[in-house]
Amino acid sequence: VSRVDRSARAAGPKVSQVVVVLGEGRQRVLVANSLGELAEDERTRVRIVAQVVARKGKEAQTGTESPGILGGYELFRSHTPEEIGRKAAEQALIMLEARQAPTGPMPVVIANATGGVLFHEACGHGLEADAVYKGASVFAGRLGERVASPLVFAYDDATLPQRWGSFRFDDEGVPANRTPLIEEGVLVGYINDRKRAMRDGAAATGNGRRQSYRYLPIPRMTNTFIAAGTARPEDIIADTALGLYAKKLGGGEVNPVTGDFIFSVTEGYMIRRGRLAEPVRGATLIGNGPKVLRDIDAVADDLDFDTGMCGKDGQLVPVTTGQPTLRVRELVVGGTTEVI
């Protein structure tokens, strides 16, 4: 924690506040059910969150880094404390000098890793079987239909080694699984717990999760991501004459019934003549989840992941979001200036 703090403050005198939270936990799970099944799992997780505030006069901007794993302190072999502090501080300092974002429809290139939160929120929750059963999902009754660009392959996979949302068995004793959701743009599956799977005569996908024994299990995502494509990220940017590069996404709001969403961009840059240009702040992405999936026209080969805690029905569970760099042909950017 001290090393993260020192690294962030070393970025410059404009760094005014550093908050570092290190969390570690172990959850022991025993599931015995009326089907005669017995399953045990032990889940050790470590995560560190660094939040850095930079100030210039009355202006303040925040940068965040939050790596985590299903595992122990080997986390810091791949994410050193110095790197975590530096990245969070750099984001805050860059956004402090950024100009106001433009407004209007334009191509948007969404960076890998944290960009996956858009698919998680705008589409993933709509693929959970309880929302589908209630008719509260834009994807209800659409199995076998094309819902995305042919470039899109999406999965939920709790078997990924050491990922923050992974486990050996879900909270109903079903073995962890890799669940295809979208393949070549076609909707091929939903995220099921055992209850919904038995009702529909389908196989449980290993997504029955609960915060603890005090709660009922419900269908939840684990490690949900859009799979890697074949393009290079630099080629996608080079092929974009004018647009927005969303390097990091923040919070947002989603209507799962319609798929409409609004997301904040916490770190963004203009793309001009195929190159990254000036940083911009205050941008929001406004659109519709299924439409965004259909409008993806380039997918890179640089799949990466980010960690988070997902809330649903009063329960928090660890999840991983992921995607490669990809481009949406046109997305409405909410800003305060005209594109220049």
Side-chain angles (χ1 to χ4, degrees), residues 73 75 83 103 110 155 159 180 253 265 285 333:
Y73 283 84
L75 167 68
E83 175 192 26
T103 188
I110 304 175
Y155 301 92
T159 70
E253 296 181 5
V265 178
L285 303 181
V333 176

Side-chain angles (χ1 to χ4, degrees), residues 67-317:
I69 62 169
L70 177 72
Y73 283 84
E74 63 269 30
L75 167 68
F76 297 107
R77 294 176 187 154
S78 54
H79 301 273
T80 68
E82 288 73 21
E83 175 192 26
I84 293 166
R86 176 181 56 77
K87 284 185 175 180
E90 283 179 354
Q91 180 192 340
L93 291 168
I94 289 171
M95 289 299 99
L96 193 64
E97 304 300 329
R99 73 174 183 85
Q100 292 297 317
T103 188
M106 66 185 73
V108 175
V109 177
I110 304 175
N112 61 355
T114 59
V117 71
L118 193 152
F119 177 76
H120 172 100
E121 295 290 356
C123 301
H125 282 297
L127 294 170
E128 291 170 335
D130 50 350
V132 173
Y133 178 71
K134 295 172 187 174
S137 166
V138 70
F139 297 106
R142 300 192 64 188
L143 279 177
E145 291 185 20
R146 183 171 298 284
V147 297
S149 158
L151 298 173
V152 174
F153 292 74
Y155 301 92
D156 183 273
D157 191 349
T159 70
L160 297 177
Q162 292 197 305
R163 289 299 173 190
W164 178 244
S166 295
F167 45 72
R168 291 176 58 241
F169 296 90
D170 75 359
D171 297 323
E172 297 178 302
V174 179
N177 193 28
R178 178 182 174 92
T179 303
L181 302 173
I182 298 171
E183 293 190 326
E184 293 186 333
V186 175
L187 180 62
V188 297
Y190 295 127
I191 294 168
N192 273 313
D193 62 355
R194 191 187 292 273
K195 175 181 176 181
R196 277 79 182 181
M198 292 176 70
R199 181 200 66 214
D200 296 337
T205 59
N207 291 92
R209 306 186 68 188
R210 54 183 172 177
Q211 181 172 319
S212 75
Y213 66 88
R214 295 181 177 91
Y215 299 84
L216 289 172
I218 53 177
R220 302 296 299 272
M221 285 175 276
T222 61
N223 307 308
T224 312
F225 60 95
I226 293 176
T230 58
R232 297 193 304 171
E234 57 268 30
D235 291 341
I236 294 176
I237 294 172
D239 189 48
T240 306
L242 178 67
L244 177 73
Y245 178 67
K247 185 174 181 179
K248 277 199 170 186
L249 298 183
E253 296 181 5
V254 181
N255 182 339
V257 180
T258 63
D260 293 335
F261 66 80
I262 178 169
F263 271 89
S264 64
V265 178
T266 56
E267 184 176 358
Y269 301 83
M270 291 301 297
I271 302 174
R272 300 184 185 278
R273 294 184 290 278
R275 294 187 178 185
L276 292 184
E278 73 276 14
V280 292
R281 67 188 186 202
T284 56
L285 303 181
I286 305 166
N288 176 272
K291 184 177 186 304
V292 165
L293 289 179
R294 293 192 298 270
D295 285 347
I296 292 173
D297 63 1
V299 180
D301 58 4
D302 60 342
L303 173 64
D304 200 3
F305 298 88
D306 196 25
T307 63
M309 296 297 293
C310 178
K312 177 181 172 181
D313 291 356
Q315 301 190 46
L316 285 174
V317 295

Side-chain angles (χ1 to χ4, degrees), residues 15-96:
V15 172
S16 64
Q17 179 177 306
V18 181
V19 177
V20 187
V21 179
L22 175 63
E24 57 173 304
R26 185 176 72 167
Q27 185 182 52
R28 299 180 67 184
V29 180
L30 172 64
V31 179
N33 64 30
S34 56
L35 299 174
E37 297 173 338
L38 186 68
E40 287 186 83
D41 199 5
E42 185 170 310
R43 306 161 186 166
T44 299
R45 290 186 171 92
V46 171
R47 187 185 188 213
I48 189 164
V49 179
Q51 187 178 74
V52 177
V53 177
R55 295 184 183 276
K56 183 177 69 172
K58 295 182 179 180
E59 293 286 339
Q61 292 292 319
T62 302
T64 304
E65 278 292 309
S66 56
I69 62 169
L70 177 72
Y73 283 84
E74 63 269 30
L75 167 68
F76 297 107
R77 294 176 187 154
S78 54
H79 301 273
T80 68
E82 288 73 21
E83 175 192 26
I84 293 166
R86 176 181 56 77
K87 284 185 175 180
E90 283 179 354
Q91 180 192 340
L93 291 168
I94 289 171
M95 289 299 99
L96 193 64

